[in-house]
Amino acid sequence: MSDARTDDTERRCVSCGVNVASLSAASFDCPECGTGIHRCGTCRKQSKLYECPDCGFRGP
């Protein structure tokens, strides 16, 4: 399992990979395993699917 707390410069959108350190992004823990998930505003608006890199949980 990866560390849920990461440095701001390492925060990447789990859907598209863009650096979300300075964007209006959502950060939350995976509902299944607690890994930190980061999503950019664009992917959130478009309801793009995301997948937890640790456990494979998928959500909108």
Side-chain angles (χ1 to χ4, degrees):
M1 187 180 332
S2 63
D3 187 359
R5 291 171 293 214
T6 58
D7 186 271
D8 284 345
T9 59
E10 295 177 7
R11 291 185 181 179
R12 299 239 173 239
C13 175
V14 66
S15 297
C16 70
V18 69
N19 186 338
V20 296
S22 62
L23 300 175
S24 128
S27 294
F28 56 94
D29 293 335
C30 172
E32 292 291 321
C33 70
T35 296
I37 302 283
H38 309 289
R39 298 190 71 211
C40 72
T42 302
C43 288
R44 288 176 36 230
K45 271 186 183 178
Q46 295 176 355
S47 299
K48 288 188 176 181
L49 294 178
Y50 68 88
E51 183 174 333
C52 176
D54 284 348
C55 72
F57 175 83
R58 291 183 180 197

